[in-house]
Amino acid sequence: MGLRAYIIRRAILMIPILIGVTLLIFAITQFFSPVARASLYVDITKVRNMTAVIEKYGLNDPVYIQYFHWISEVLHGNLGYSQEQRMFVLPSLIKKFPASAEIALYSAPFTILLGIYLGVKSAVHRDKPIDHLTRVMAIIGWSLPTFWSAIILLSVFYGGFGIFPPGRLSREADKFIRTGIRLGTYHYYTGFNTIDGLLNGQPWIVWDAIQRLVLPCVNLTIVQIALIIRVMRSSMLEALNKGYMVTARAKGLSQGEVINKHARRNALIPVVTISGFLFAGMMTGMVITETVFLVPGLGRAAANAALHLDIPFVLGFSLLTGIVFVFTNLIVDVAYAYVDPRIKLG
């Protein structure tokens, strides 16, 4: 089966999974009253006749009819009105998404690649100083509470040295962008400040954004890289003890070829899975990191919504998270075929 046919087949198989996700999310809504569920469709603070709204969206109808009403609204982009964000949920998710995605864009590749490199080094030099050092780093990183490492980083670098401030942009940069958008002299192309700054010919905006990305990215790397290192080391040690490693050395292959072309490639399978879902988790927001560093992303918004019982935003965020993870699973499956040619697309 070719790659294109495999992707199409997998995409078709995702449909029942996505339906299952929507059914689970919808099932949660049944614990709330019809008045509370009305916020999944309209801004209830502006509704004068709640009975008419309940009747219009069939909130007293049988469950399966309610589901079809709700999924129809979702497919038309209506995820309800968020009281916490003071806007409809879908535009709010779109607005918050770039802040989380920008952090993921810069931290995830570095975390994954460095984790793989250190994991391989640790396995190849087993029980040597670099192995002991890497294992200690992994244990410390995995044991550190995310909020604690974030506070320490902020206290040392911003509090002590006055560099890498929290937030997403400085007041000057934010005001410049808002004014530029209003006047038509600045345009949002991607929602990523580091990219839009370049596309608008404003390198100082890029530098302003980068300074505020450093600490969130470092904090995520410290915590997440530990898992990559541990899994890569374990998988690499297992691969190095396989019979085909002895055969490869017997054929006269160099140590570098044995490690890079055979052992590492076979050891990457479990790491690909972890890396895919790690990146998906970053894309849908990091609650603690975003809260400590004052990043207006999805994770921070979802946490505030949960604290204030903002049902529409929580459910919309859950739906987005489910969709991201389902598509990530497809990407991971396709990546397997490139990492290990023994895996057939079927």
Side-chain angles (χ1 to χ4, degrees):
M1 182 183 294
L3 179 59
R4 180 180 297 177
Y6 175 73
I7 294 175
I8 294 174
R9 177 172 174 268
R10 288 290 302 171
I12 294 173
L13 290 175
M14 284 195 320
I15 295 175
I17 298 175
L18 288 171
I19 292 174
V21 170
T22 62
L23 285 170
L24 286 173
I25 293 173
F26 177 76
I28 297 173
T29 67
Q30 298 306 300
F31 291 98
F32 304 102
S33 67
V35 174
R37 282 184 276 125
S39 63
L40 296 173
Y41 304 93
V42 297
D43 179 3
I44 59 176
T45 62
K46 297 181 179 179
V47 173
R48 295 182 178 180
N49 189 348
M50 184 60 69
T51 303
V53 172
I54 292 174
E55 189 69 26
K56 177 181 178 181
Y57 294 103
L59 298 177
N60 284 323
D61 289 345
V63 175
Y64 66 92
I65 295 178
Q66 292 186 47
Y67 172 75
F68 285 114
H69 277 300
W70 176 73
I71 200 65
S72 175
E73 291 294 319
V74 169
L75 293 174
H76 284 87
N78 182 14
L79 299 178
Y81 187 87
S82 169
Q83 298 295 335
E84 178 66 18
Q85 300 297 324
R86 297 182 181 179
M87 61 191 305
F88 281 91
V89 173
L90 183 59
S92 180
L93 291 173
I94 294 172
K95 181 180 178 181
K96 301 291 182 182
F97 182 76
S100 298
E102 190 167 28
I103 296 175
L105 177 69
Y106 293 110
S107 60
F110 181 76
T111 300
I112 294 167
L113 293 177
L114 183 59
I116 290 173
Y117 174 80
L118 292 176
V120 171
K121 284 292 183 182
S122 180
V124 172
H125 301 283
R126 184 178 184 180
D127 295 329
K128 293 183 179 179
I130 188 172
D131 181 32
H132 294 310
L133 179 61
T134 303
R135 290 166 67 184
V136 169
M137 289 172 54
I139 292 172
I140 293 174
W142 189 247
S143 303
L144 283 176
T146 308
F147 74 89
W148 187 84
S149 59
I151 292 173
I152 293 298
L153 287 171
L154 196 60
S155 300
V156 172
F157 289 97
Y158 182 60
F161 298 100
I163 57 176
F164 307 137
R168 196 167 182 225
L169 285 172
S170 65
R171 291 183 179 179
E172 293 77 10
D174 186 63
K175 182 179 179 181
F176 179 87
I177 291 175
R178 291 177 183 275
T179 303
I181 291 174
R182 188 170 63 252
L183 298 176
T185 56
Y186 193 97
H187 304 279
Y188 268 132
Y189 295 103
T190 64
F192 296 169
N193 292 321
T194 51
I195 297 176
D196 290 346
L198 285 176
L199 295 177
N200 282 278
Q202 300 293 336
W204 73 276
I205 295 287
V206 178
W207 175 242
D208 189 273
I210 288 175
Q211 292 180 73
R212 288 159 175 79
L213 282 170
V214 171
L215 292 187
C217 290
V218 169
N219 188 58
L220 288 175
T221 299
I222 290 173
V223 177
Q224 302 291 353
I225 198 173
L227 180 60
I228 301 293
I229 292 173
R230 293 174 66 182
V231 173
M232 188 66 198
R233 179 182 182 276
S234 177
S235 184
M236 191 72 179
L237 286 173
E238 184 180 351
L240 288 171
N241 291 324
K242 295 290 185 180
Y244 58 81
M245 290 291 101
V246 178
T247 304
R249 292 188 179 94
K251 289 181 178 180
L253 296 178
S254 66
Q255 180 72 353
E257 290 177 316
V258 170
I259 292 171
N260 296 325
K261 290 186 178 181
H262 296 278
R264 184 175 64 182
R265 190 166 187 175
N266 286 284
L268 279 174
I269 297 297
V271 177
V272 168
T273 303
I274 293 172
S275 299
F277 290 105
L278 180 150
F279 183 68
M282 290 183 178
M283 290 287 285
T284 51
M286 298 70 61
V287 175
I288 296 174
T289 297
E290 290 181 0
T291 300
V292 174
F293 293 107
L294 303 179
V295 178
L298 286 173
R300 185 182 175 195
N304 289 333
L307 288 173
H308 293 88
L309 296 178
D310 187 354
I311 299 168
F313 190 91
V314 171
L315 294 182
F317 172 76
S318 300
L319 182 61
L320 172 64
T321 301
I323 292 171
V324 169
F325 274 87
V326 168
F327 277 94
T328 298
N329 190 54
L330 170 64
I331 295 171
V332 167
D333 286 346
V334 174
Y336 284 157
Y338 288 99
V339 173
D340 191 345
R342 295 174 301 175
I343 298 176
K344 300 299 181 181
L345 297 177

